[in-house]
Amino acid sequence: MNILARSACAKIILLGEHAVVYGKPSIAVPFSTLRTFATIAASPVGSGFSITAVDLDNQLTVVDQQSQTVEDPLAVASWKMFELLGISPPDANISLHSNIPIASGMGSGAALTTALLRAILHIADRTLPNEKLNEIVYEIEKIHHGTPSGIDNTVIVYEKPVYFVRGLEPERLKVAHPFSLVIADTGVSASTKVAVSDVRKLYDNNRLVTQQLIDSIGELVLEGRQAIEGNHFVELGAIMNRNHELLKELTVSAPMLDKLVECARQAGALGAKLTGGGRGGNMICLVTPDVIGSVKSSLLANGAYRVYDTIVQ
Ligand code: MEV
């Protein structure tokens, strides 16, 4: 019998991506309607533990003794959880299915790991504080992304809006008044790892200018937090616009992202920017409820691959 055991959400970075890697604050929110689901199927005794990643071409990961030494993120995550719980791999298959677009800046990798680990906890009939779960997901993020700040796994594991500074306890962001976002997927896949390492090269080759850009993004995030907590959405929109310009200077935008950002502003969004690693993936815009439909239509007419809307609260 199959049990739909556990799931994990996608995430959206509102402000501060990339600079967060350098110790600046960042604000991110869960995107709960896009999720990764883990389904457990019990297997015959002695058949072992395996994972089927449906959206990665049904990739089958057999988690046996040999997989302890390879760097397969799903196998490593499973072993870390088995060790922590003090159990042997159970006889089961966990099937992971996701409607979060891959390589799009929405945290699909962290959601996959989180759903998998929650399913293992379900099989073992155990619970784990979010803080501990987050530590394991972060370890796996390092395999995916090299030097991640930890914001993706944190917002996905806690599934709450967060104000995040690398190395500090995440703070729950207080949203004074719910607000709407429209999200548009460029349809262009992009590697966060490559974008993060290109920003690192920029930083190493031109430290003064790059540090200024990073500092300016950090200041915008502080202002953005005040705007969200104080219900000042026109200001928040302007802050998002400025953040996008700074990300462009960090070289992580792309023509399609710039086009959709411009189109959203023209269609009445209060502000718009790329979200996540950039170079492709998704852009977000802050909208008042009356323009959600027209902004979405305009983004689609201008080449967006898909559009979504969500309320942040
Ligand atoms: C990726 O979602 C966010 C980045 O800031 C990288 C990170 O924080 O690890 C680009």
Side-chain angles (χ1 to χ4, degrees):
M1 194 179 65
N2 291 348
I3 308 168
L4 183 59
R6 289 293 179 262
S7 69
C9 65
K11 68 92 189 29
I12 298 164
I13 298 192
L14 269 189
L15 295 166
E17 50 274 271
H18 286 287
V20 67
V21 175
Y22 298 81
K24 298 296 166 190
S26 177
I27 292 173
V29 297
F31 189 9
S32 298
T33 46
L34 290 183
R35 305 190 77 82
T36 295
F37 299 93
T39 308
I40 302 168
S43 307
V45 176
S47 59
F49 182 73
S50 62
I51 304 157
T52 308
V54 178
D55 306 289
L56 303 176
D57 291 332
N58 273 327
Q59 174 196 302
L60 179 72
T61 304
V62 177
V63 183
D64 56 12
Q65 297 305 322
Q66 280 160 4
S67 68
Q68 268 184 330
T69 51
V70 294
E71 282 280 281
D72 177 319
L74 295 176
V76 178
S78 305
W79 280 114
K80 282 190 185 295
M81 187 53 99
F82 299 149
E83 272 164 25
L84 187 80
L85 300 177
I87 61 169
S88 307
D91 292 320
N93 173 266
I94 294 181
S95 169
L96 297 167
H97 173 72
S98 183
N99 52 25
I100 307 172
I102 295 165
S104 70
M106 282 195 165
S108 59
L112 214 61
T113 313
T114 306
L116 168 69
L117 295 179
R118 285 184 174 149
I120 295 176
L121 284 165
H122 183 86
I123 296 172
D125 197 18
R126 300 274 291 272
T127 57
L128 205 62
N130 277 337
E131 195 188 343
K132 200 79 210 151
L133 181 62
N134 196 26
E135 276 173 26
I136 309 182
V137 185
Y138 181 55
E139 287 305 308
I140 307 310
E141 283 291 280
K142 289 185 195 163
I143 304 177
H144 283 296
H145 295 312
T147 56
S149 65
I151 189 165
D152 291 12
N153 46 285
T154 300
V155 70
I156 285 169
V157 167
Y158 287 84
E159 203 161 341
K160 301 266 188 306
V162 292
Y163 176 85
F164 177 90
V165 179
R166 190 172 192 167
L168 300 184
E169 273 294 297
E171 282 181 56
R172 169 89 201 251
L173 183 76
K174 295 178 207 76
V175 180
H177 195 274
F179 58 93
S180 297
L181 295 176
V182 166
I183 300 121
D185 188 347
T186 58
V188 178
S189 344
S191 156
T192 297
K193 191 173 185 170
V194 171
V196 168
S197 98
D198 286 352
V199 172
R200 174 66 61 186
K201 282 182 207 142
L202 206 66
Y203 184 79
D204 290 341
N205 295 335
N206 200 345
R207 184 154 304 195
L208 202 63
V209 173
T210 314
Q211 186 65 57
Q212 275 168 358
L213 294 172
I214 289 168
D215 290 346
S216 302
I217 293 177
E219 281 158 27
L220 282 181
V221 178
L222 293 175
E223 289 173 31
R225 179 182 190 171
Q226 285 170 2
I228 293 168
E229 293 184 343
N231 200 8
H232 303 307
F233 293 113
V234 174
E235 274 174 34
L236 180 61
I239 289 166
M240 289 168 71
N241 287 340
R242 297 212 311 271
N243 194 167
H244 183 75
E245 294 314 309
L246 293 166
L247 287 164
K248 252 170 102 167
E249 288 188 54
L250 279 182
T251 75
V252 294
S253 194
M256 191 56 178
L257 282 166
D258 294 338
K259 181 178 175 193
L260 294 181
V261 161
E262 191 48 41
C263 148
R265 291 175 188 158
Q266 298 287 333
L270 296 172
K273 63 181 277 292
L274 70 86
T275 181
R279 298 271 168 85
N282 285 273
M283 56 76 67
I284 54 170
C285 46
L286 180 66
V287 287
T288 48
D290 54 313
V291 299
I292 293 177
S294 51
V295 168
K296 282 168 90 174
S297 314
S298 176
L299 288 165
L300 285 170
N302 278 277
Y305 178 62
R306 346 170 219 230
V307 290
Y308 318 88
D309 62 280
T310 186
I311 296 177
V312 178
Q313 48 199 356

